[in-house]
Amino acid sequence: MLKYVLKRIALMIVTLFIIMTLLFVLIRLIPNQVQAIQGGFDQAVRDMRTAWGYNQPVMIQYGIFLKNVFGSWNWGFCTTVGTYLQPVTEYLAEKLPATVYINVLSLLISLPAGIIFGITAAVYKNKWQDHIIQLFIMIFISVPAFVYAFLLQYFVGYRLNWAPLIMKGGTDYFSWSMFHSAIMPVLALSFGPIAGSMRLIRAELTETLTGEYMLFARAKGLTRRQATIRHAFRNSMIPLMPSFLADFISVLSGSLIIEQIFAVPGIGKTWLLSMMNKDYSVFMACNMFYVFLGLAAGIIFDLSYGFIDPRIRMGGGKTNEF
């Protein structure tokens, strides 16, 4: 197991380095890496361009970039987004809490709701409860999240005036005013994961409930609820765990469209603004942040199978014989 984990980490580092190299070269090929100020560059920008080797060949620039990133964790400075010449790491650290805030709230809603309704649909298969839940699954999966966002803004925010149209700024995340302003983006982020969890749990649990070991469990005297919770639900979690871990990883990733619609000052909106305003230092840092999350998630997904079912062995090792 340890050998497999170390191998995956090594492959992740190599992949991360390749993507970083390609991304850096492509960004440097785009003209106007630092936005001109009133037709020219001020002294601070000139000093920064000199320090980062903007007037040198691309490979020398890349060497300076690697030295700054891995030597002092310096990803550059903001030029067109955030405070002028603010360090990129400091700027992104200010934006990450808002993304985590709305995604954690969304996760606290979507995961329990998806599990409860998915189990209900599986237990009451082909009954009216199942038909209603499947109708909601079809609607929530078919309609994009930004449609929910616009509907929530119009009906809940504008017509009924139950919540602010955009999220409040600031850092008082434990206040009622902040929670109240985040209700609509949280709901818009929750509908899709709820539907996805319900569909997966219903499919897996329906198949598990028809297994022979479930009949044996009932024959031992367990009630239907006890057999479902103790045996069927746990076994059905093995193929579902990667989906749940994806929801946890998305706590950091954010949502480009939802954050833009509700003016959430998070990572997703920052990535979009950095691309539109040609702030390539911020754009580079955001992309590498997303790449790292995606690669790390792949390792966590694979390892999760072994934690849920100890009989599963990673890396092609020997398995227990029955």
Side-chain angles (χ1 to χ4, degrees):
M1 185 63 149
L2 179 60
K3 182 179 178 181
Y4 174 77
V5 173
L6 294 177
K7 180 181 178 181
R8 288 296 304 271
I9 293 176
L11 291 174
M12 182 189 74
I13 294 174
V14 173
T15 305
L16 195 68
F17 180 77
I18 294 174
I19 295 176
M20 180 186 295
T21 303
L22 294 175
L23 188 61
F24 182 88
V25 173
L26 292 175
I27 289 178
R28 285 299 185 271
L29 293 177
I30 301 175
N32 194 23
Q33 282 81 12
V34 178
Q35 194 74 279
I37 302 173
Q38 296 179 356
F41 299 109
D42 62 7
Q43 187 59 42
V45 174
R46 290 193 186 95
D47 294 340
M48 186 191 72
R49 290 173 63 87
T50 302
W52 283 80
Y54 274 75
N55 299 320
Q56 301 292 331
V58 174
M59 297 313 298
I60 295 179
Q61 294 183 40
Y62 188 52
I64 296 174
F65 172 79
L66 293 178
K67 179 181 178 181
N68 290 331
V69 170
F70 295 104
S72 57
W73 199 245
N74 181 5
W75 289 84
F77 301 90
C78 302
T79 55
T80 58
V81 298
T83 304
Y84 184 55
L85 293 184
Q86 180 183 13
V88 170
T89 52
E90 179 182 316
Y91 177 67
L92 294 182
E94 296 175 357
K95 301 300 180 181
L96 187 59
T99 293
V100 173
Y101 181 74
I102 62 172
N103 281 277
V104 166
L105 293 179
S106 173
L107 189 64
L108 293 177
I109 295 174
S110 60
L111 194 57
I115 292 175
I116 292 173
F117 288 117
I119 294 176
T120 303
V123 173
Y124 296 99
K125 182 182 178 182
N126 295 329
K127 296 183 179 180
W128 65 269
Q129 297 95 329
D130 182 30
H131 295 319
I132 294 176
I133 291 175
Q134 287 196 69
L135 176 62
F136 281 104
I137 291 175
M138 182 180 64
I139 294 174
F140 289 159
I141 289 182
S142 302
V143 180
F146 67 86
V147 175
Y148 299 130
F150 287 127
L151 292 176
L152 287 170
Q153 272 193 332
Y154 180 73
F155 289 105
V156 178
Y158 176 70
R159 301 290 294 182
L160 299 176
N161 197 25
W162 286 352
L165 295 176
I166 61 176
M167 183 174 171
K168 174 188 174 183
T171 58
D172 52 337
Y173 295 108
F174 296 98
S175 66
W176 164 249
S177 59
M178 180 65 77
F179 176 77
H180 187 217
S181 67
I183 288 177
M184 289 198 293
V186 167
L187 291 177
L189 289 172
S190 300
F191 291 143
I194 288 175
S197 299
M198 287 193 298
R199 182 179 64 174
L200 291 174
I201 291 175
R202 179 190 180 278
E204 293 296 333
L205 194 56
T206 299
E207 182 179 355
T208 305
L209 287 172
T210 59
E212 294 182 357
Y213 68 92
M214 288 297 295
L215 298 177
F216 180 71
R218 295 293 302 277
K220 290 194 304 181
L222 295 179
T223 64
R224 184 179 183 183
R225 175 179 297 180
Q226 291 173 333
T228 300
I229 296 176
R230 294 183 185 180
H231 300 286
F233 181 68
R234 181 179 179 182
N235 289 334
S236 64
M237 284 296 100
I238 297 175
L240 296 178
M241 183 53 63
S243 175
F244 294 153
L245 286 175
D247 294 335
F248 282 101
I249 296 297
S250 66
V251 166
L252 296 176
S253 62
S255 173
L256 304 181
I257 300 178
I258 299 301
E259 290 188 8
Q260 185 70 17
I261 292 174
F262 293 102
V264 178
I267 292 292
K269 184 180 178 182
T270 300
W271 182 88
L272 191 60
L273 289 176
S274 67
M275 180 176 60
M276 294 173 59
N277 297 329
K278 300 180 181 180
D279 196 326
Y280 296 117
S281 295
V282 178
F283 182 69
M284 181 74 179
C286 289
N287 274 281
M288 294 312 302
F289 175 74
Y290 286 129
V291 169
F292 173 77
L293 285 181
L295 295 176
I299 298 178
I300 296 175
F301 292 165
D302 291 343
L303 295 180
S304 65
Y305 289 107
F307 288 114
I308 297 299
D309 190 350
R311 295 172 298 176
I312 299 177
R313 294 294 179 266
M314 299 297 176
K318 295 182 180 180
T319 56
N320 296 331
E321 295 181 358
F322 295 95

